[in-house]
Structures are given as C-alpha cells and as structure tokens.
Amino acid sequence: MNLGLEVASGAIVAGTPILFAALGESFAESAGVVNLGTEGSMLVGALTAYAVAASSGNPWLGVLAGGLAGGLLSLLFAWFVLKRGSNQLASGLVILFLGLGLTSLFGVSYVSRDAPTLKVWDVPVLSSIPWIGDVFFKHDPLVYVAYALVPLTGWFLYRSRWGLLIRGVGERSEVVATYGHKVLFIQFASVVTGGFLAGVGGSHVSIAYANSWFENMIQGRGFVALAVVIFAARQPWKVAAGAYLFGAALALSPALQTRGYGTNQYLL
C-alpha cells in the first residue's frame, strides 16, 4: 500500500472516535454548554466498553454500555452546571479528572485482559472500487455508523423542530422559555446526548482501534473534538473534515516510521 492510500485509510479509522465526540459536543454547544469533560466521557466509555465486551463476549453490548457510561458522566456535569450553577470550564475539568481517576482505578485488571473486538467488514461492491473502496469501505461497522451520523446530525440540528429549539436555547433561551418550552430539559438532553456519543467514540478506541485497554488511552482526543467543533462552527460536514484531518496526522506518523522516517506523532 502506498503512503497516500495508507494515510487516507488510517485517517478514517483514527478520526472516527474524534468524530463521534465532536458530533456529540455539537449538540451540547448548540444548546449553549461547553463540556470540557468530553475527554472524561470518552475515557469511561472506552473502559466500560472493553470491560462489558470482555465479560459478555459481545462487543456491541460493550459499545452500548460505553455510550451509556459517557452519558452518565455528562449527566453529572449537566447537574453541576445547569442545576447548581457552577462554572462550565471548572466543572468540565472536574469531570475530566473524575473520569481519569475512575478509569485508572478500575481499569487495572483489564490492562492485559482479552476482549472481543469489532472486526473489519468490507462493504459489498463499494469496497472493490479502486482507491475509494480501500479508503472508505474496508473498516469496522462503527466507522459506517459515523458516516451516517454526520448527515443525520446536520438534519436534526438545522432542519428539525427539535434542532431549532436546541439552537434557540443556545442563542436566546429566554425567547424559547417565553413560548413555553423547558429550557433546562433541552440543555440536559443535549449535554447527555453529547456524552453518549463521546462514550461511543471512546468505545471505538478500545474495541476497534487499539483493541486493548490501557490507562489514559484517549490521549487528548476529547480536547481535539472540542477544538474541531469550535473551528467548524458546529457544522457537521466541517466537523467531519476536521476529525479526519486530525486522524490523518495520527496515521501519518506510523506510516512514515515504517518507511524509515522518524517523526513525532504529537508534533504532527
């Protein structure tokens, strides 16, 4: 496989966890809440998914559990910020450190434990298309779920009534409240949805990308997701482009190293 093809294919896989988290954060930020705890939700999602998959033998059950774990941690964040009025940035960092501490504590026994993972599934017909098939259609199923989630998120936020309410809450919450809608409920739902998708993104890291669990395995992807959402102005297609661009940086380093070029992944 040539360098360009390897990096392009790797960008899709490496960018998928960031894409899930960034799409989730798009919901939260559209409702006027910035969740710096996204990294923590990804961490608990990664560990929970791996632990449940190892215990049940079903990786899809792990993905669901990982998403629920991420959503639960975001629910705690939402309670602090929306119900108790605490500072968003400070509370987000608290949630991040809580996620890091919990996964470091309970993840020790899973460091060397095997778990079933999501296998690569070639999409019939599409995977046989030269270059395009190798880049886009020879991946695990969660990658294809992320593909579908991009237009669905765009439609939901910018074409549906619920999306209008979410964006209305983020821009002029008093107007939404005047028309009898429950602003607090909409914000809670948006933040928890963001946490659920971040948890799914973390699940992808542990049971599809790395196929293992180790401490602090998310390594800043949650913060990258936050940055992607801000730079993309919460536009799902731009969010996807940013996520895959960062995925390309992650994929480029090992691709160069296998060809004898020493590079620093973090510099890229």
Side-chain angles (χ1 to χ4, degrees):
M1 185 181 293
N2 64 55
L3 178 62
L5 188 59
E6 185 176 344
V7 172
S9 178
I12 300 298
V13 180
T16 294
I18 300 168
L19 178 56
F20 273 111
L23 290 174
E25 180 61 17
S26 297
F27 282 91
E29 291 193 17
S30 294
V33 182
V34 177
N35 185 2
L36 283 183
T38 298
E39 178 92 358
S41 291
M42 292 187 76
L43 272 170
V44 298
L47 174 59
T48 303
Y50 198 80
V52 171
S55 302
S56 67
N58 188 334
W60 286 107
L61 194 59
V63 172
L64 177 61
L68 292 174
L72 185 62
L73 199 63
S74 288
L75 178 62
L76 180 61
F77 166 80
W79 183 82
F80 277 127
V81 171
L82 301 174
K83 198 70 174 176
R84 306 304 301 172
S86 62
N87 181 273
Q88 290 187 25
L89 301 183
S91 299
L93 291 175
V94 168
I95 293 300
L96 162 62
F97 290 126
L98 177 61
L100 180 60
L102 288 174
T103 53
S104 298
L105 175 64
F106 294 107
V108 174
S109 59
Y110 292 97
V111 170
S112 58
R113 184 170 173 179
D114 292 329
T117 57
L118 296 176
K119 306 302 182 184
V120 172
W121 180 66
D122 295 351
V123 179
V125 181
L126 295 178
S127 61
S128 61
I129 300 174
W131 205 87
I132 293 176
D134 289 322
V135 173
F136 295 103
F137 301 111
K138 292 184 178 181
H139 302 292
D140 65 88
L142 270 185
V143 171
Y144 309 134
V145 173
Y147 290 164
L149 201 59
V150 173
L152 285 175
T153 300
W155 173 84
F156 187 88
L157 286 178
Y158 296 98
R159 293 291 184 269
S160 72
R161 184 170 181 271
W162 262 102
L164 178 62
L165 288 175
I166 291 172
R167 289 184 291 112
V169 166
E171 296 171 11
R172 295 287 297 276
S173 60
E174 66 277 7
V175 174
V176 176
T178 299
Y179 280 88
H181 298 289
K182 298 179 179 179
V183 170
L184 200 61
F185 173 78
I186 294 171
Q187 288 182 311
F188 261 93
S190 300
V191 172
V192 172
T193 298
F196 178 86
L197 290 177
V200 173
S203 303
H204 185 267
V205 175
S206 62
I207 62 174
Y209 182 62
N211 295 330
S212 62
W213 162 258
F214 53 87
E215 186 176 339
N216 195 25
M217 73 182 310
I218 300 303
Q219 296 179 333
R221 289 176 174 85
F223 288 109
V224 172
L226 286 167
V228 165
V229 174
I230 293 169
F231 280 105
R234 302 188 298 275
Q235 301 291 324
W237 292 103
K238 294 180 181 178
V239 166
Y244 291 139
L245 177 62
F246 189 81
L250 289 174
L252 180 58
S253 178
L256 290 175
Q257 288 174 1
T258 57
R259 290 165 172 79
Y261 300 98
T263 57
N264 188 306
Q265 174 176 305
Y266 299 103
L267 179 61
L268 291 172

